[in-house]
């Protein structure tokens, strides 16, 4: 996704670009589908937003429901909070769910419009560098093609040969939980995002278009095999308990093969640029999926790097040193969102009752304290950054009462990223 977004930007700005893709067809694997507001603004800039909106499902509210399980009865609701993108002072004050492959084909078709500058090499695999050229192995006829370019961008996801060539390490951090994820049909009136939790369970529900819904169910790390042995009924029962309205749709799943195991990890390389090589997206950073940021970070990286290279083209000064601007803008932002996603993951990582009380309080305070609410939505949106203070954290855990004063539009806009922060080299000029 990052590679295609970058290609659209570069080709549309007069830069010749080749994208190498190893897959020969659409991937059946589930991947990122939730687009955050900043990414929607970038997709507008790339000229594809109308198609994205037409093929996606938008929502502005995320509902958090906490349930208490009771023996032989339906669980009882003990907490309910709403977080709202609608508070953001932006035309993009919502999130959008779109099937991963649909978004990829929208970007690919857009890039193909610039046929004189865009070359799509598929199926072919980039294997490394030799004599300063990228070595591409064509899958069908097994021929090898060296490609000479001014810059090489590693957008290969978590296993990145470009990263290896740069001599950078991805030190993976793992979690005590995994996820099962599957898309199933949904009732037509199930329209907003929902996270349903108990002491031991977590179910994330994100509506897609065509009355489908992407579901994400947390399990203990390593529990997948034993769950499978219990039969698919285990899965049906767990969903029915947490979200009865999906009951009959879940039972339409007959085989574990339809359900994908997702193992969350986190890493962040310490450099994005070495000479004329740069990394974007998962090649540079893997983020815990709790806050739905991975694909967004990839597209946001592509936006900044693409703008920088297009600027170099305009100036006629291709200098490897200038790539540092990209790292300077994107690395702290990615680090911040990796931290935020990690914190959200921790909130659901422990089954202790006292931990749950803190989590419930924290979400409740976030909804009801206007400052905490706006900060959280702004930070995950990617549109800006507004750090939490010590006082914010104390209010969040309930040590201090929540504030009542609402946040004015002009105040929140101070924390939005301005063009000069996204593309600071323009100012230096
Ligand atoms: C189940 C699941 C759910 C997720 N949910 C979300 C979500 O809701 N929101 C979100 O923002 N993120 C989510 N993510 C994360 C998101 O999918 C990734 O962060 C995002 O796809 C990263 O984009 P990328 O372009 O960096 O890499 P990728 O999407 O991994 O793309 C890399 C591409 O490079 C190709 N490639 C790799 N190696 C080579 C090679 N040597 N030669 C040629 N081609 C190569 C691959 O085939 C692939 O097409 C999820 C991930 C998973 C697995």
């Amino acid at each position: 996704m990052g590679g295609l977004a970058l290609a659209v930007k570069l080709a549309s700005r007069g830069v010749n670009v080749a994208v190498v893709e190893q897959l020969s067809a659409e991937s059946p694997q589930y991947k990122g589908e939730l687009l955050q507001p900043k990414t929607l603004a970038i997709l507008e800039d790339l000229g594809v937003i109308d198609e994205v909106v037409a093929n996606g499902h938008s929502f502005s509210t995320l509902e958090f429901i906490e349930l208490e399980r009771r023996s032989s009865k339906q669980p009882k609701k003990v907490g309910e909070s709403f977080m709202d993108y609608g508070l953001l002072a932006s035309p993009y004050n919502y999130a959008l769910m779109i099937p991963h492959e649909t978004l990829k084909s929208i970007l690919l078709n857009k890039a193909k419009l610039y046929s004189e500058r865009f070359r799509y090499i598929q199926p072919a695999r980039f294997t490394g560098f030799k004599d300063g050229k990228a070595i591409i192995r064509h899958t069908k006829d097994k021929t090898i093609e060296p490609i000479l370019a001014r810059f090489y961008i590693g957008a290969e996801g978590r296993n990145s040969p470009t990263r290896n060539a740069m001599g950078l390490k991805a030190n993976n951090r793992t979690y005590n939980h995994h996820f099962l994820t599957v898309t199933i049909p949904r009732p037509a009136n199930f329209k907003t995002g929902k996270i349903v939790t108990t002491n031991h369970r977590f179910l994330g529900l994100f509506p897609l278009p065509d009355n489908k819904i992407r579901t994400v169910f947390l399990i203990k790390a390593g529990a997948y095999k034993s769950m499978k042995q219990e039969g698919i009924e285990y899965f049906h029962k767990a969903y029915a308990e947490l979200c009865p309205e999906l009951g009959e749709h879940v039972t339409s799943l007959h085989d574990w093969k339809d359900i994908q195991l997702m193992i969350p990890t986190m890493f962040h390389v310490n450099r994005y640029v070495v000479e004329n090589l740069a990394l974007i997206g998962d090649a540079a950073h893997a983020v815990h999926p709790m806050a739905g940021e991975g694909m967004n970070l990839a597209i946001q990286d592509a936006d900044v790097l693409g703008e920088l290279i297009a600027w170099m083209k305009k100036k006629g000064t291709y200098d490897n040193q200038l790539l540092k601007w990209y790292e300077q803008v994107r690395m702290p932002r990615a680090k911040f969102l990796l931290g935020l996603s990690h914190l959200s993951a921790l909130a659901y990582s422990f089954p202790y009752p006292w931990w749950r009380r803190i989590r419930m309080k924290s979400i409740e305070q976030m909804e009801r304290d206007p400052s905490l609410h706006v900060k959280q939505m702004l930070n995950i949106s990617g549109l800006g950054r507004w750090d939490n203070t010590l006082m914010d954290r104390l209010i969040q855990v309930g040590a201090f009462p929540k504030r009542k004063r609402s946040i004015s539009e002009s105040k929140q806009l101070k924390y939005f990223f301005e063009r000069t922060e996204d593309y600071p080299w323009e100012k230096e000029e």
Side-chain angles (χ1 to χ4, degrees):
M1 200 65 87
L4 286 172
L6 180 61
V8 173
K9 180 136 199 164
L10 292 177
S12 71
R13 304 284 283 277
V15 180
N16 292 332
V17 55
V19 171
V20 181
E21 172 54 60
Q22 64 184 4
L23 298 177
S24 56
E26 284 192 0
S27 167
Q29 293 283 312
Y30 289 117
K31 276 198 165 187
E33 301 188 317
L34 183 112
L35 295 175
Q36 298 284 0
K38 174 73 175 182
T39 311
L40 295 171
I42 292 169
L43 294 171
E44 175 176 25
D45 202 44
L46 295 180
V48 294
I49 192 66
D50 292 343
E51 231 184 310
V52 168
V53 170
N55 285 282
H57 174 87
S58 311
F59 59 89
S60 57
T61 326
L62 265 177
E63 184 180 6
F64 292 79
I65 298 173
E66 193 76 41
L67 300 177
E68 186 80 54
R69 295 175 83 194
R70 299 177 297 176
S71 56
S72 70
K73 283 190 195 157
Q74 255 318 108
K76 187 172 119 201
K77 198 189 278 183
V78 289
E80 185 176 36
S81 301
F82 295 87
M83 298 299 289
D84 189 3
Y85 285 97
L87 295 176
L88 295 174
S90 162
Y92 292 109
N93 55 358
Y94 58 90
L96 183 139
M97 285 289 290
I98 183 166
H100 191 82
E101 292 297 333
T102 307
L103 181 57
K104 261 168 89 175
S105 66
I106 291 174
L107 288 171
L108 180 58
N109 290 338
K110 184 73 180 176
K112 283 180 176 169
L113 293 179
Y114 306 97
S115 55
E116 70 286 9
R117 289 190 287 276
F118 174 68
R119 183 175 168 215
Y120 193 51
I121 309 173
Q122 183 208 31
R125 201 173 147 67
F126 160 66
T127 55
F129 295 99
K130 196 169 171 215
D131 304 328
K133 293 178 185 162
I135 304 303
I136 310 302
R137 184 183 290 269
H138 291 261
T139 315
K140 281 188 183 145
D141 56 14
K142 306 272 183 273
T143 53
I144 293 192
E145 179 188 0
I147 294 189
L148 181 65
R150 181 89 59 174
F151 300 121
Y152 300 95
I153 313 303
E156 315 101 322
R158 292 184 183 189
N159 300 314
S160 163
T162 308
R163 189 177 64 227
N164 297 341
M166 291 163 83
L168 302 175
K169 284 231 156 51
N171 295 317
N172 262 324
R173 175 179 185 144
T174 53
Y175 289 86
N176 65 357
H177 55 268
H178 294 165
F179 293 98
L180 299 178
T181 184
V182 62
T183 294
I184 55 175
R186 66 170 161 90
N189 62 357
F190 195 132
K191 291 191 168 157
T192 61
K194 217 181 242 193
I195 288 174
V196 187
T197 44
T198 70
N199 234 349
H200 293 86
R201 292 197 159 158
F202 169 102
L203 177 63
L205 301 157
F206 304 95
L208 279 157
D210 301 326
N211 289 341
K212 296 207 172 117
I213 190 159
R214 176 71 172 276
T215 70
V216 187
F217 182 60
L218 185 143
I219 60 171
K220 257 198 218 154
Y224 181 53
K225 267 195 184 157
S226 58
M227 279 172 96
K228 267 168 89 173
Q229 279 159 6
E230 285 193 44
I232 193 82
E233 294 72 27
Y234 176 90
F235 192 78
H236 296 163
K237 241 171 92 186
Y239 271 50
E241 187 182 54
L242 295 171
C243 188
E245 52 195 308
L246 283 181
E248 69 188 271
H249 301 296
V250 181
T251 46
S252 66
L253 280 174
H254 297 299
D255 199 324
W256 279 101
K257 273 197 221 114
D258 301 324
I259 301 166
Q260 184 179 313
L261 176 69
M262 175 163 72
I263 300 180
T265 56
M266 174 168 83
F267 71 76
H268 199 184
V269 293
N270 58 4
R271 294 174 74 181
Y272 287 7
V273 174
V274 173
E275 296 171 357
N276 65 340
L277 311 183
L279 298 176
I280 62 172
D282 278 15
H285 38 65
V287 54
H288 189 284
M290 191 61 86
E293 294 289 351
M295 177 172 68
N296 292 278
L297 291 179
I299 296 174
Q300 291 163 22
D301 286 350
D303 174 63
V304 172
L305 182 59
E307 197 65 35
L308 176 61
I309 295 176
W311 175 80
M312 288 190 218
K313 159 95 182 168
K314 199 169 127 211
K315 298 259 110 197
T317 45
Y318 290 108
D319 181 348
N320 295 345
Q321 291 299 322
L322 291 170
L323 288 178
K324 283 278 169 195
W325 281 113
Y326 157 64
E327 183 178 293
Q328 205 170 302
V329 174
R330 286 303 303 162
M331 195 182 255
R333 292 191 194 177
K335 187 175 175 207
F336 179 66
L337 278 161
L338 257 66
L340 208 78
S341 301
H342 178 67
L343 263 187
S344 313
L346 290 184
Y348 296 101
S349 290
F350 307 108
Y352 316 120
W354 59 269
W355 190 257
R356 177 165 94 145
R357 276 197 296 278
I358 296 178
R359 176 175 76 227
M360 284 170 66
K361 187 76 199 169
S362 159
I363 296 173
E364 186 190 301
Q365 295 288 87
M366 243 196 296
E367 177 197 352
R368 290 166 202 171
D369 180 288
S371 180
L372 288 177
H373 199 153
V374 168
K375 284 184 184 186
Q376 177 70 4
M377 298 323 285
L378 179 62
N379 289 336
I380 62 168
S381 76
L383 290 168
R385 173 170 169 174
W386 193 351
D387 288 356
N388 282 292
T389 59
L390 176 63
M391 181 51 102
D392 288 333
R393 293 296 184 210
L394 291 171
I395 293 173
Q396 199 172 346
V397 294
F400 279 90
K402 59 185 182 300
R403 293 156 288 200
K404 293 202 178 76
R405 199 157 17 109
S406 62
I407 303 293
S408 70
E409 206 170 291
S410 58
K411 173 126 196 217
Q412 66 164 283
L413 283 173
K414 284 190 198 150
Y415 297 90
F416 275 54
F417 296 129
E418 292 181 3
R419 188 174 171 94
T420 49
E421 290 168 281
D422 284 346
Y423 317 132
W425 53 89
E426 292 178 349
K427 189 174 68 184
E428 292 293 312
E429 191 185 18

